Amino acid sequence: DALSRIYEEEQEWEKTMELLQRLVDLLSDQSRRVECYYRMGRIAEGPLNDPDGALERYQFAVDVDPSYLQALASLREIYKNRQDWENAISTLKQEESHTQDPDTKSALLYHIGYLYHAELSDIGLAQDYYEKAMQWNPRNTEAAQPLSDIYFTREAYAKAEPLLDLLVDAVRNGEVERE
């Protein structure tokens, strides 16, 4: 492992990848294997400019540890860059299921809703995820804005009103910019 870090510092990417692969093949410690796969994914994605190789390594990391959030976040970004919305959403759902922090959970749920809304035009599922985001963080203005629009369009004014109040307060307090 120390030698692979030396190669990495020297930007000997191919040697680093070879050494990390050998290390993964020898390791029985699952957490170290996950870390090596993740490092290989970062190298493939960055210096080697190999998004397919990065995707494969991040997926190996997640196969070993489905709760490894760094690899899940990296997978999500690759899927988003490829406009592979279904896999991006699936990865976001997996991230959310392994996240404990309410604000982070709310942000991930908002992003799921956003992809359903903006990329897949599924307003019903978008609404469901925006609502879940608001349940985890009732002050999530990112989710409140599109959810209030959906409610308003569906003439659910009583549901839209508290969200609009939240947004007005957030603008007054300088928490968000007015659109």
PDB file of all heavy atoms in Angstrom, residues 50-82:
ATOM      1  N   ASP A  50     -10.690   7.962 -17.822  1.00  0.00           N
ATOM      2  CA  ASP A  50     -11.347   6.721 -18.231  1.00  0.00           C
ATOM      3  C   ASP A  50     -12.629   6.545 -17.409  1.00  0.00           C
ATOM      4  O   ASP A  50     -12.644   5.810 -16.422  1.00  0.00           O
ATOM      5  CB  ASP A  50     -10.381   5.550 -18.004  1.00  0.00           C
ATOM      6  CG  ASP A  50     -10.987   4.199 -18.332  1.00  0.00           C
ATOM      7  OD1 ASP A  50     -12.079   4.137 -18.933  1.00  0.00           O
ATOM      8  OD2 ASP A  50     -10.350   3.177 -17.964  1.00  0.00           O
ATOM      9  N   PRO A  51     -13.706   7.233 -17.812  1.00  0.00           N
ATOM     10  CA  PRO A  51     -14.934   7.141 -17.014  1.00  0.00           C
ATOM     11  C   PRO A  51     -15.513   5.731 -16.937  1.00  0.00           C
ATOM     12  O   PRO A  51     -16.097   5.361 -15.922  1.00  0.00           O
ATOM     13  CB  PRO A  51     -15.900   8.107 -17.698  1.00  0.00           C
ATOM     14  CG  PRO A  51     -15.288   8.480 -18.999  1.00  0.00           C
ATOM     15  CD  PRO A  51     -13.839   8.139 -18.945  1.00  0.00           C
ATOM     16  N   ASP A  52     -15.321   4.926 -17.990  1.00  0.00           N
ATOM     17  CA  ASP A  52     -15.812   3.542 -17.936  1.00  0.00           C
ATOM     18  C   ASP A  52     -15.051   2.745 -16.879  1.00  0.00           C
ATOM     19  O   ASP A  52     -15.648   1.988 -16.111  1.00  0.00           O
ATOM     20  CB  ASP A  52     -15.686   2.860 -19.296  1.00  0.00           C
ATOM     21  CG  ASP A  52     -16.629   3.446 -20.333  1.00  0.00           C
ATOM     22  OD1 ASP A  52     -17.692   3.976 -19.949  1.00  0.00           O
ATOM     23  OD2 ASP A  52     -16.300   3.384 -21.537  1.00  0.00           O
ATOM     24  N   GLY A  53     -13.729   2.921 -16.856  1.00  0.00           N
ATOM     25  CA  GLY A  53     -12.917   2.248 -15.839  1.00  0.00           C
ATOM     26  C   GLY A  53     -13.259   2.734 -14.443  1.00  0.00           C
ATOM     27  O   GLY A  53     -13.300   1.950 -13.495  1.00  0.00           O
ATOM     28  N   ALA A  54     -13.511   4.030 -14.316  1.00  0.00           N
ATOM     29  CA  ALA A  54     -13.891   4.596 -13.018  1.00  0.00           C
ATOM     30  C   ALA A  54     -15.222   4.004 -12.562  1.00  0.00           C
ATOM     31  O   ALA A  54     -15.358   3.570 -11.411  1.00  0.00           O
ATOM     32  CB  ALA A  54     -13.977   6.111 -13.111  1.00  0.00           C
ATOM     33  N   LEU A  55     -16.175   3.970 -13.472  1.00  0.00           N
ATOM     34  CA  LEU A  55     -17.489   3.421 -13.151  1.00  0.00           C
ATOM     35  C   LEU A  55     -17.363   1.981 -12.647  1.00  0.00           C
ATOM     36  O   LEU A  55     -17.957   1.606 -11.634  1.00  0.00           O
ATOM     37  CB  LEU A  55     -18.384   3.475 -14.386  1.00  0.00           C
ATOM     38  CG  LEU A  55     -19.816   3.016 -14.183  1.00  0.00           C
ATOM     39  CD1 LEU A  55     -20.664   4.150 -13.645  1.00  0.00           C
ATOM     40  CD2 LEU A  55     -20.393   2.525 -15.493  1.00  0.00           C
ATOM     41  N   GLU A  56     -16.553   1.199 -13.340  1.00  0.00           N
ATOM     42  CA  GLU A  56     -16.354  -0.203 -12.958  1.00  0.00           C
ATOM     43  C   GLU A  56     -15.743  -0.312 -11.560  1.00  0.00           C
ATOM     44  O   GLU A  56     -16.208  -1.101 -10.733  1.00  0.00           O
ATOM     45  CB  GLU A  56     -15.459  -0.884 -13.997  1.00  0.00           C
ATOM     46  CG  GLU A  56     -15.212  -2.342 -13.715  1.00  0.00           C
ATOM     47  CD  GLU A  56     -14.348  -2.984 -14.774  1.00  0.00           C
ATOM     48  OE1 GLU A  56     -13.266  -2.434 -15.093  1.00  0.00           O
ATOM     49  OE2 GLU A  56     -14.753  -4.042 -15.278  1.00  0.00           O
ATOM     50  N   ARG A  57     -14.710   0.492 -11.273  1.00  0.00           N
ATOM     51  CA  ARG A  57     -14.039   0.424  -9.962  1.00  0.00           C
ATOM     52  C   ARG A  57     -14.962   0.904  -8.850  1.00  0.00           C
ATOM     53  O   ARG A  57     -15.013   0.301  -7.776  1.00  0.00           O
ATOM     54  CB  ARG A  57     -12.774   1.268  -9.952  1.00  0.00           C
ATOM     55  CG  ARG A  57     -11.522   0.794 -10.666  1.00  0.00           C
ATOM     56  CD  ARG A  57     -11.565  -0.541 -11.330  1.00  0.00           C
ATOM     57  NE  ARG A  57     -10.332  -0.946 -11.967  1.00  0.00           N
ATOM     58  CZ  ARG A  57      -9.974  -0.617 -13.207  1.00  0.00           C
ATOM     59  NH1 ARG A  57     -10.711   0.175 -13.942  1.00  0.00           N
ATOM     60  NH2 ARG A  57      -8.842  -1.079 -13.706  1.00  0.00           N
ATOM     61  N   TYR A  58     -15.695   1.998  -9.086  1.00  0.00           N
ATOM     62  CA  TYR A  58     -16.639   2.470  -8.061  1.00  0.00           C
ATOM     63  C   TYR A  58     -17.711   1.414  -7.808  1.00  0.00           C
ATOM     64  O   TYR A  58     -18.120   1.191  -6.665  1.00  0.00           O
ATOM     65  CB  TYR A  58     -17.297   3.783  -8.490  1.00  0.00           C
ATOM     66  CG  TYR A  58     -16.372   4.967  -8.562  1.00  0.00           C
ATOM     67  CD1 TYR A  58     -16.518   5.911  -9.576  1.00  0.00           C
ATOM     68  CD2 TYR A  58     -15.359   5.172  -7.633  1.00  0.00           C
ATOM     69  CE1 TYR A  58     -15.693   7.024  -9.653  1.00  0.00           C
ATOM     70  CE2 TYR A  58     -14.517   6.276  -7.700  1.00  0.00           C
ATOM     71  CZ  TYR A  58     -14.696   7.207  -8.717  1.00  0.00           C
ATOM     72  OH  TYR A  58     -13.874   8.302  -8.786  1.00  0.00           O
ATOM     73  N   GLN A  59     -18.168   0.748  -8.877  1.00  0.00           N
ATOM     74  CA  GLN A  59     -19.182  -0.285  -8.710  1.00  0.00           C
ATOM     75  C   GLN A  59     -18.627  -1.464  -7.916  1.00  0.00           C
ATOM     76  O   GLN A  59     -19.321  -2.034  -7.077  1.00  0.00           O
ATOM     77  CB  GLN A  59     -19.724  -0.756 -10.062  1.00  0.00           C
ATOM     78  CG  GLN A  59     -20.929  -1.660  -9.941  1.00  0.00           C
ATOM     79  CD  GLN A  59     -22.081  -1.013  -9.208  1.00  0.00           C
ATOM     80  OE1 GLN A  59     -22.583   0.021  -9.614  1.00  0.00           O
ATOM     81  NE2 GLN A  59     -22.515  -1.612  -8.111  1.00  0.00           N
ATOM     82  N   PHE A  60     -17.358  -1.824  -8.160  1.00  0.00           N
ATOM     83  CA  PHE A  60     -16.729  -2.885  -7.365  1.00  0.00           C
ATOM     84  C   PHE A  60     -16.729  -2.497  -5.887  1.00  0.00           C
ATOM     85  O   PHE A  60     -17.018  -3.323  -5.014  1.00  0.00           O
ATOM     86  CB  PHE A  60     -15.290  -3.146  -7.814  1.00  0.00           C
ATOM     87  CG  PHE A  60     -15.149  -3.886  -9.119  1.00  0.00           C
ATOM     88  CD1 PHE A  60     -14.003  -3.715  -9.888  1.00  0.00           C
ATOM     89  CD2 PHE A  60     -16.125  -4.739  -9.590  1.00  0.00           C
ATOM     90  CE1 PHE A  60     -13.838  -4.387 -11.094  1.00  0.00           C
ATOM     91  CE2 PHE A  60     -15.981  -5.428 -10.793  1.00  0.00           C
ATOM     92  CZ  PHE A  60     -14.833  -5.244 -11.543  1.00  0.00           C
ATOM     93  N   ALA A  61     -16.398  -1.230  -5.595  1.00  0.00           N
ATOM     94  CA  ALA A  61     -16.375  -0.762  -4.205  1.00  0.00           C
ATOM     95  C   ALA A  61     -17.760  -0.907  -3.579  1.00  0.00           C
ATOM     96  O   ALA A  61     -17.901  -1.388  -2.452  1.00  0.00           O
ATOM     97  CB  ALA A  61     -15.900   0.690  -4.140  1.00  0.00           C
ATOM     98  N   VAL A  62     -18.788  -0.520  -4.313  1.00  0.00           N
ATOM     99  CA  VAL A  62     -20.160  -0.588  -3.802  1.00  0.00           C
ATOM    100  C   VAL A  62     -20.623  -2.040  -3.696  1.00  0.00           C
ATOM    101  O   VAL A  62     -21.387  -2.385  -2.796  1.00  0.00           O
ATOM    102  CB  VAL A  62     -21.105   0.256  -4.684  1.00  0.00           C
ATOM    103  CG1 VAL A  62     -22.556   0.028  -4.326  1.00  0.00           C
ATOM    104  CG2 VAL A  62     -20.749   1.734  -4.557  1.00  0.00           C
ATOM    105  N   ASP A  63     -20.151  -2.902  -4.591  1.00  0.00           N
ATOM    106  CA  ASP A  63     -20.497  -4.325  -4.493  1.00  0.00           C
ATOM    107  C   ASP A  63     -19.956  -4.921  -3.192  1.00  0.00           C
ATOM    108  O   ASP A  63     -20.612  -5.754  -2.576  1.00  0.00           O
ATOM    109  CB  ASP A  63     -19.945  -5.109  -5.685  1.00  0.00           C
ATOM    110  CG  ASP A  63     -20.673  -4.796  -6.989  1.00  0.00           C
ATOM    111  OD1 ASP A  63     -21.768  -4.190  -6.942  1.00  0.00           O
ATOM    112  OD2 ASP A  63     -20.120  -5.136  -8.057  1.00  0.00           O
ATOM    113  N   VAL A  64     -18.774  -4.482  -2.791  1.00  0.00           N
ATOM    114  CA  VAL A  64     -18.177  -4.976  -1.550  1.00  0.00           C
ATOM    115  C   VAL A  64     -18.856  -4.330  -0.337  1.00  0.00           C
ATOM    116  O   VAL A  64     -19.126  -4.999   0.655  1.00  0.00           O
ATOM    117  CB  VAL A  64     -16.649  -4.711  -1.516  1.00  0.00           C
ATOM    118  CG1 VAL A  64     -16.050  -5.099  -0.168  1.00  0.00           C
ATOM    119  CG2 VAL A  64     -15.958  -5.471  -2.645  1.00  0.00           C
ATOM    120  N   ASP A  65     -19.122  -3.024  -0.429  1.00  0.00           N
ATOM    121  CA  ASP A  65     -19.770  -2.300   0.669  1.00  0.00           C
ATOM    122  C   ASP A  65     -20.834  -1.370   0.105  1.00  0.00           C
ATOM    123  O   ASP A  65     -20.533  -0.252  -0.321  1.00  0.00           O
ATOM    124  CB  ASP A  65     -18.730  -1.495   1.463  1.00  0.00           C
ATOM    125  CG  ASP A  65     -19.339  -0.717   2.626  1.00  0.00           C
ATOM    126  OD1 ASP A  65     -20.575  -0.771   2.825  1.00  0.00           O
ATOM    127  OD2 ASP A  65     -18.577  -0.043   3.337  1.00  0.00           O
ATOM    128  N   PRO A  66     -22.094  -1.819   0.088  1.00  0.00           N
ATOM    129  CA  PRO A  66     -23.181  -1.028  -0.499  1.00  0.00           C
ATOM    130  C   PRO A  66     -23.419   0.321   0.194  1.00  0.00           C
ATOM    131  O   PRO A  66     -24.134   1.156  -0.339  1.00  0.00           O
ATOM    132  CB  PRO A  66     -24.421  -1.923  -0.336  1.00  0.00           C
ATOM    133  CG  PRO A  66     -23.881  -3.293  -0.170  1.00  0.00           C
ATOM    134  CD  PRO A  66     -22.562  -3.141   0.521  1.00  0.00           C
ATOM    135  N   SER A  67     -22.809   0.531   1.349  1.00  0.00           N
ATOM    136  CA  SER A  67     -23.008   1.788   2.081  1.00  0.00           C
ATOM    137  C   SER A  67     -21.831   2.750   1.927  1.00  0.00           C
ATOM    138  O   SER A  67     -21.779   3.771   2.620  1.00  0.00           O
ATOM    139  CB  SER A  67     -23.242   1.501   3.570  1.00  0.00           C
ATOM    140  OG  SER A  67     -22.069   0.987   4.176  1.00  0.00           O
ATOM    141  N   TYR A  68     -20.906   2.467   1.019  1.00  0.00           N
ATOM    142  CA  TYR A  68     -19.720   3.323   0.855  1.00  0.00           C
ATOM    143  C   TYR A  68     -20.122   4.579   0.082  1.00  0.00           C
ATOM    144  O   TYR A  68     -20.195   4.590  -1.150  1.00  0.00           O
ATOM    145  CB  TYR A  68     -18.596   2.549   0.157  1.00  0.00           C
ATOM    146  CG  TYR A  68     -17.249   3.213   0.274  1.00  0.00           C
ATOM    147  CD1 TYR A  68     -16.578   3.240   1.489  1.00  0.00           C
ATOM    148  CD2 TYR A  68     -16.654   3.827  -0.811  1.00  0.00           C
ATOM    149  CE1 TYR A  68     -15.340   3.851   1.602  1.00  0.00           C
ATOM    150  CE2 TYR A  68     -15.417   4.438  -0.707  1.00  0.00           C
ATOM    151  CZ  TYR A  68     -14.765   4.451   0.510  1.00  0.00           C
ATOM    152  OH  TYR A  68     -13.549   5.061   0.623  1.00  0.00           O
ATOM    153  N   LEU A  69     -20.408   5.636   0.842  1.00  0.00           N
ATOM    154  CA  LEU A  69     -21.017   6.844   0.287  1.00  0.00           C
ATOM    155  C   LEU A  69     -20.147   7.557  -0.733  1.00  0.00           C
ATOM    156  O   LEU A  69     -20.663   8.119  -1.704  1.00  0.00           O
ATOM    157  CB  LEU A  69     -21.419   7.791   1.416  1.00  0.00           C
ATOM    158  CG  LEU A  69     -22.523   7.257   2.338  1.00  0.00           C
ATOM    159  CD1 LEU A  69     -22.761   8.215   3.504  1.00  0.00           C
ATOM    160  CD2 LEU A  69     -23.809   7.019   1.569  1.00  0.00           C
ATOM    161  N   GLN A  70     -18.834   7.550  -0.551  1.00  0.00           N
ATOM    162  CA  GLN A  70     -17.962   8.242  -1.512  1.00  0.00           C
ATOM    163  C   GLN A  70     -18.060   7.610  -2.896  1.00  0.00           C
ATOM    164  O   GLN A  70     -18.131   8.320  -3.904  1.00  0.00           O
ATOM    165  CB  GLN A  70     -16.514   8.233  -1.024  1.00  0.00           C
ATOM    166  CG  GLN A  70     -16.288   9.090   0.208  1.00  0.00           C
ATOM    167  CD  GLN A  70     -14.888   8.877   0.767  1.00  0.00           C
ATOM    168  OE1 GLN A  70     -14.548   7.792   1.241  1.00  0.00           O
ATOM    169  NE2 GLN A  70     -14.082   9.923   0.703  1.00  0.00           N
ATOM    170  N   ALA A  71     -18.067   6.287  -2.939  1.00  0.00           N
ATOM    171  CA  ALA A  71     -18.176   5.608  -4.235  1.00  0.00           C
ATOM    172  C   ALA A  71     -19.569   5.820  -4.834  1.00  0.00           C
ATOM    173  O   ALA A  71     -19.702   6.022  -6.046  1.00  0.00           O
ATOM    174  CB  ALA A  71     -17.879   4.116  -4.083  1.00  0.00           C
ATOM    175  N   LEU A  72     -20.598   5.805  -3.992  1.00  0.00           N
ATOM    176  CA  LEU A  72     -21.949   6.047  -4.490  1.00  0.00           C
ATOM    177  C   LEU A  72     -22.065   7.456  -5.089  1.00  0.00           C
ATOM    178  O   LEU A  72     -22.645   7.625  -6.165  1.00  0.00           O
ATOM    179  CB  LEU A  72     -22.973   5.868  -3.363  1.00  0.00           C
ATOM    180  CG  LEU A  72     -23.237   4.428  -2.948  1.00  0.00           C
ATOM    181  CD1 LEU A  72     -24.014   4.374  -1.632  1.00  0.00           C
ATOM    182  CD2 LEU A  72     -23.987   3.680  -4.039  1.00  0.00           C
ATOM    183  N   ALA A  73     -21.501   8.440  -4.407  1.00  0.00           N
ATOM    184  CA  ALA A  73     -21.551   9.817  -4.920  1.00  0.00           C
ATOM    185  C   ALA A  73     -20.806   9.924  -6.251  1.00  0.00           C
ATOM    186  O   ALA A  73     -21.252  10.612  -7.173  1.00  0.00           O
ATOM    187  CB  ALA A  73     -20.974  10.784  -3.894  1.00  0.00           C
ATOM    188  N   SER A  74     -19.681   9.232  -6.362  1.00  0.00           N
ATOM    189  CA  SER A  74     -18.917   9.257  -7.614  1.00  0.00           C
ATOM    190  C   SER A  74     -19.681   8.569  -8.741  1.00  0.00           C
ATOM    191  O   SER A  74     -19.702   9.066  -9.872  1.00  0.00           O
ATOM    192  CB  SER A  74     -17.550   8.596  -7.411  1.00  0.00           C
ATOM    193  OG  SER A  74     -16.782   9.335  -6.480  1.00  0.00           O
ATOM    194  N   LEU A  75     -20.307   7.434  -8.428  1.00  0.00           N
ATOM    195  CA  LEU A  75     -21.141   6.754  -9.426  1.00  0.00           C
ATOM    196  C   LEU A  75     -22.263   7.667  -9.893  1.00  0.00           C
ATOM    197  O   LEU A  75     -22.531   7.786 -11.098  1.00  0.00           O
ATOM    198  CB  LEU A  75     -21.757   5.486  -8.826  1.00  0.00           C
ATOM    199  CG  LEU A  75     -20.908   4.239  -8.792  1.00  0.00           C
ATOM    200  CD1 LEU A  75     -21.593   3.157  -7.975  1.00  0.00           C
ATOM    201  CD2 LEU A  75     -20.615   3.743 -10.199  1.00  0.00           C
ATOM    202  N   ARG A  76     -22.918   8.319  -8.942  1.00  0.00           N
ATOM    203  CA  ARG A  76     -24.032   9.221  -9.281  1.00  0.00           C
ATOM    204  C   ARG A  76     -23.584  10.298 -10.253  1.00  0.00           C
ATOM    205  O   ARG A  76     -24.266  10.582 -11.236  1.00  0.00           O
ATOM    206  CB  ARG A  76     -24.575   9.870  -8.004  1.00  0.00           C
ATOM    207  CG  ARG A  76     -25.526  11.012  -8.290  1.00  0.00           C
ATOM    208  CD  ARG A  76     -26.055  11.716  -7.057  1.00  0.00           C
ATOM    209  NE  ARG A  76     -25.283  11.679  -5.858  1.00  0.00           N
ATOM    210  CZ  ARG A  76     -24.597  12.718  -5.376  1.00  0.00           C
ATOM    211  NH1 ARG A  76     -24.555  13.861  -6.030  1.00  0.00           N
ATOM    212  NH2 ARG A  76     -23.954  12.615  -4.224  1.00  0.00           N
ATOM    213  N   GLU A  77     -22.425  10.891 -10.005  1.00  0.00           N
ATOM    214  CA  GLU A  77     -21.946  11.971 -10.876  1.00  0.00           C
ATOM    215  C   GLU A  77     -21.632  11.459 -12.282  1.00  0.00           C
ATOM    216  O   GLU A  77     -21.913  12.140 -13.266  1.00  0.00           O
ATOM    217  CB  GLU A  77     -20.745  12.675 -10.255  1.00  0.00           C
ATOM    218  CG  GLU A  77     -21.105  13.500  -9.037  1.00  0.00           C
ATOM    219  CD  GLU A  77     -22.233  14.491  -9.289  1.00  0.00           C
ATOM    220  OE1 GLU A  77     -22.168  15.248 -10.291  1.00  0.00           O
ATOM    221  OE2 GLU A  77     -23.193  14.505  -8.507  1.00  0.00           O
ATOM    222  N   ILE A  78     -21.063  10.265 -12.374  1.00  0.00           N
ATOM    223  CA  ILE A  78     -20.799   9.693 -13.701  1.00  0.00           C
ATOM    224  C   ILE A  78     -22.115   9.466 -14.436  1.00  0.00           C
ATOM    225  O   ILE A  78     -22.253   9.814 -15.612  1.00  0.00           O
ATOM    226  CB  ILE A  78     -19.979   8.386 -13.593  1.00  0.00           C
ATOM    227  CG1 ILE A  78     -18.543   8.699 -13.147  1.00  0.00           C
ATOM    228  CG2 ILE A  78     -19.970   7.646 -14.935  1.00  0.00           C
ATOM    229  CD1 ILE A  78     -17.713   7.476 -12.829  1.00  0.00           C
ATOM    230  N   TYR A  79     -23.093   8.893 -13.740  1.00  0.00           N
ATOM    231  CA  TYR A  79     -24.397   8.663 -14.374  1.00  0.00           C
ATOM    232  C   TYR A  79     -25.033   9.979 -14.803  1.00  0.00           C
ATOM    233  O   TYR A  79     -25.617  10.070 -15.886  1.00  0.00           O
ATOM    234  CB  TYR A  79     -25.334   7.905 -13.442  1.00  0.00           C
ATOM    235  CG  TYR A  79     -24.950   6.461 -13.214  1.00  0.00           C
ATOM    236  CD1 TYR A  79     -24.955   5.901 -11.945  1.00  0.00           C
ATOM    237  CD2 TYR A  79     -24.583   5.636 -14.281  1.00  0.00           C
ATOM    238  CE1 TYR A  79     -24.620   4.575 -11.731  1.00  0.00           C
ATOM    239  CE2 TYR A  79     -24.241   4.308 -14.086  1.00  0.00           C
ATOM    240  CZ  TYR A  79     -24.259   3.783 -12.801  1.00  0.00           C
ATOM    241  OH  TYR A  79     -23.922   2.480 -12.600  1.00  0.00           O
ATOM    242  N   LYS A  80     -24.946  11.001 -13.969  1.00  0.00           N
ATOM    243  CA  LYS A  80     -25.523  12.298 -14.336  1.00  0.00           C
ATOM    244  C   LYS A  80     -24.811  12.878 -15.556  1.00  0.00           C
ATOM    245  O   LYS A  80     -25.454  13.402 -16.460  1.00  0.00           O
ATOM    246  CB  LYS A  80     -25.458  13.265 -13.152  1.00  0.00           C
ATOM    247  CG  LYS A  80     -26.532  12.979 -12.109  1.00  0.00           C
ATOM    248  CD  LYS A  80     -26.367  13.770 -10.838  1.00  0.00           C
ATOM    249  CE  LYS A  80     -26.474  15.246 -11.040  1.00  0.00           C
ATOM    250  NZ  LYS A  80     -26.345  15.999  -9.763  1.00  0.00           N
ATOM    251  N   ASN A  81     -23.480  12.772 -15.592  1.00  0.00           N
ATOM    252  CA  ASN A  81     -22.726  13.273 -16.746  1.00  0.00           C
ATOM    253  C   ASN A  81     -23.118  12.548 -18.034  1.00  0.00           C
ATOM    254  O   ASN A  81     -23.075  13.127 -19.112  1.00  0.00           O
ATOM    255  CB  ASN A  81     -21.224  13.155 -16.511  1.00  0.00           C
ATOM    256  CG  ASN A  81     -20.724  14.133 -15.484  1.00  0.00           C
ATOM    257  OD1 ASN A  81     -21.341  15.170 -15.229  1.00  0.00           O
ATOM    258  ND2 ASN A  81     -19.599  13.815 -14.856  1.00  0.00           N
ATOM    259  N   ARG A  82     -23.504  11.296 -17.904  1.00  0.00           N
ATOM    260  CA  ARG A  82     -23.934  10.504 -19.064  1.00  0.00           C
ATOM    261  C   ARG A  82     -25.425  10.673 -19.366  1.00  0.00           C
ATOM    262  O   ARG A  82     -25.934  10.053 -20.292  1.00  0.00           O
ATOM    263  CB  ARG A  82     -23.656   9.016 -18.807  1.00  0.00           C
ATOM    264  CG  ARG A  82     -22.196   8.691 -18.744  1.00  0.00           C
ATOM    265  CD  ARG A  82     -22.000   7.232 -18.459  1.00  0.00           C
ATOM    266  NE  ARG A  82     -20.578   6.920 -18.576  1.00  0.00           N
ATOM    267  CZ  ARG A  82     -20.083   5.704 -18.576  1.00  0.00           C
ATOM    268  NH1 ARG A  82     -20.895   4.664 -18.480  1.00  0.00           N
ATOM    269  NH2 ARG A  82     -18.799   5.516 -18.684  1.00  0.00           N
TER     270      ARG A  82
END
